[in-house]
Amino acid sequence: LLALCLASCLLAPGCRGAQGRFAYKLLHDLFANYSSALRPVDDTDRALNVTLQVTLSQIIDMDERNQVLTSYLWVRQAWLDAHLTWDKDAYDGIDSIRIPSSYVWRPDIILYNNADDRFGGSMETNVVLRSDGHIMWDSPAITKSSCKVDVSYFPFDGQRCRLTFGSWTYNGNQIDLRNRLDTGDLTDFVENVEWEVLGMPATRNVITYGCCSEPYPDVTYTLLLRRRASFYIFNLLLPCIMVSFLAPLGFYLPADSGEKVSLGVTVLLALTVFQLLVAESMPPSESVPLIGKYYIATMTMITASTALTIFIMNIHHCGPGARPVPPWARRLILHHMARLCCVYEVGESCKSPQRALGERAGREDAEMPRESTGKGEVGVEAEGCPRDRCLCHHDGLLRNVGYIAGCFRRHRATQRRTGEWKKVAKVMDRFFMWVFFLMVFLMSVLVLGKA
C-alpha cells in the first residue's frame, strides 16, 4: 500500500528523482502517531468546517411508480485536518500527496433520503492531502433517493427531487456542514432522453430532530426536472385523440349495416388498453394524471354514445305496429333539427326541407281521394249498368275491391309512419354526431391547454 502511495506521489507536479524517498519519509512521519478514528481538531469544543459540492453527472432512471430517482453523482468533500500538516521545505518541496481515503479521518456524510436497499456508499478513492492540512476527497457515487412524484399533469409534468446530505452522528457543534456553491454543478451533465434538468439549487438547513437536542445541519440539493413529452404525445396522446374522433362516426353509419354498436365497443376496448398502459407506469395514488382523466372522460363519452346508438336503432327499427310520430317530435325533430343538421330525403332540399315535406304530403293527400273517387265511379257504373250486360252489380266484387283499396291505404299509412320514424332516427344520429364531435374537440383543447 505504501508503494502505491509513493507511485501516486511520483505522478504529482514537482516530484523528481529523489522526491520518492522524501514522500516515503513524509508518509511515515505523518501517520506514525495518527488515528483516523478521532475528529482531527486541536480544540474539541470547536466545530470542524466541512464543505460539500455535488456534481450531477447523469440521471440513470426515474421510477415514478416506486418514487425512486437513480442518479450518478460526483461528491466532493473538503475539510482541515490539524494533525496532518508539514513543512514542505523539509521534504524537498512536496506540497501535496494522494493517499487512500481509509488512511485519514472522514466525515460520515450520507444521503438522508437514501432509497437503496444495499445502502451503498461512495467509492473508496484517494484523497488529496496538502501541506497545510487541507484534505479534498472526490468520490463518485450511484445514489437511489426517494422523490415525491406528482403525476397530476403527466405527460406534461415537472418534478422536484431533493438530495439531502448530512452527517449521521456528528451534530452541528462538532461538524459545521456548508455548501461550497449555491447550486449543483451541471457542467459535466449527460443529457437524459426523458428528463430535462432546469436547475439544481442548494440550500443549507439546520434542523433539530425529536431524538436529540443538538442541531444537525444538512445541505439539500433540489433537482428541478421537466419531462420531455414528445414520446408520450406520439405514443399515448395522439392515438387516443384519433381513436376518440372515431366514436362520433358511429352515428354516421347506416342503421341497417349492423356495425354501429360494434364500432363503439371496439373504440372503448382500444381506449381501455391505453388506460392500462398509463396505469402500469403511474404510482397507485389518489392523484389521477391528466391523460388518465382524458381517457376516463373519453371512455364515458363513448359509453354514452353507444347507449344512444342502441336507443336510436330501436327507433329506426320501429315495426308496422308503431304509433305515429307525436306532433311535438314532428315539429322539433323533423322540421327544426332536420334543417339544423341538413338531413333531407330524395327530392327534398337541404335549405328548405319543411316546404318539400309539405309538398310531398300534399301530393300524397291528393292521390288518396283520387283512389276513393275511383271506387265511387265503380259504384256509379254499378248502379247504372244494365244487369244483363255487366258483372259490376255483384256485391262480392265490390267488397273485394273495397278490401283491396283499404289494405293499400293502410299499407301506405304504415310505410309513411315507418319512414317518419326512420327519419327521426337519422336526424338524431346526425345531431348526436355533431354534438359528440364538438365534445371530443373541446376535451382535446382543454387537456392540451391545461397542460
Side-chain angles (χ1 to χ4, degrees), residues 286-299:
E286 295 182 356
S287 178
V288 181
L290 184 63
I291 190 172
K293 294 178 182 179
Y294 179 70
Y295 285 164
I296 293 298
T298 306
M299 291 168 65

Side-chain angles (χ1 to χ4, degrees), residues 168-346:
W168 189 252
T169 58
Y170 294 103
N171 55 49
N173 299 324
Q174 297 170 331
I175 288 183
D176 187 12
L177 182 63
R178 296 184 178 275
N179 49 310
R180 184 177 180 182
L181 300 174
D182 293 335
T183 181
D185 189 6
L186 301 175
T187 55
D188 297 317
F189 176 69
V190 179
E191 292 292 334
N192 188 269
V193 295
E194 184 178 2
W195 296 96
E196 179 184 0
V197 178
L198 303 180
M200 194 178 178
T203 56
R204 180 179 181 269
N205 308 299
V206 179
I207 302 176
T208 301
Y209 296 96
C211 64
C212 315
S213 59
E214 297 85 2
Y216 282 84
D218 64 66
V219 176
T220 300
Y221 291 88
T222 304
L223 189 59
L224 306 179
L225 302 174
R226 183 172 62 189
R227 193 189 301 271
R228 303 180 191 270
S230 301
F231 173 81
Y232 299 97
I233 289 176
F234 286 102
N235 290 278
L236 289 180
L237 191 58
L238 284 183
C240 175
I241 293 176
M242 290 188 290
V243 170
S244 301
F245 274 100
L246 284 178
L249 291 178
F251 292 107
Y252 194 74
L253 276 177
D256 297 329
S257 65
E259 299 293 335
K260 295 172 71 70
V261 178
S262 301
L263 178 61
V265 173
T266 304
V267 173
L268 188 62
L269 291 177
L271 288 178
T272 305
V273 172
F274 285 114
Q275 175 70 15
L276 291 176
L277 290 177
V278 174
E280 286 179 357
S281 58
M282 294 296 102
S285 63
E286 295 182 356
S287 178
V288 181
L290 184 63
I291 190 172
K293 294 178 182 179
Y294 179 70
Y295 285 164
I296 293 298
T298 306
M299 291 168 65
T300 304
M301 184 197 67
I302 293 175
T303 303
S305 67
T306 306
L308 286 173
T309 299
I310 296 174
F311 172 72
I312 293 173
M313 287 183 65
N314 190 17
I315 294 177
H316 177 82
H317 291 287
C318 284
R323 295 179 299 175
V325 178
W328 65 268
R330 188 191 305 274
R331 183 172 57 255
L332 176 63
I333 300 176
L334 295 183
H335 292 171
H336 299 292
M337 290 179 61
R339 181 183 301 177
L340 178 65
C341 299
C342 198
V343 178
Y344 57 95
E345 302 293 343
V346 178

Side-chain angles (χ1 to χ4, degrees), residues 404-425:
I404 293 173
C407 288
F408 182 73
R409 288 194 299 271
R410 288 192 298 271
H411 179 68
R412 291 287 299 272
T414 301
Q415 282 186 336
R416 188 165 56 251
R417 286 198 303 270
T418 305
E420 287 180 348
W421 281 115
K422 287 184 177 181
K423 186 172 182 180
V424 167

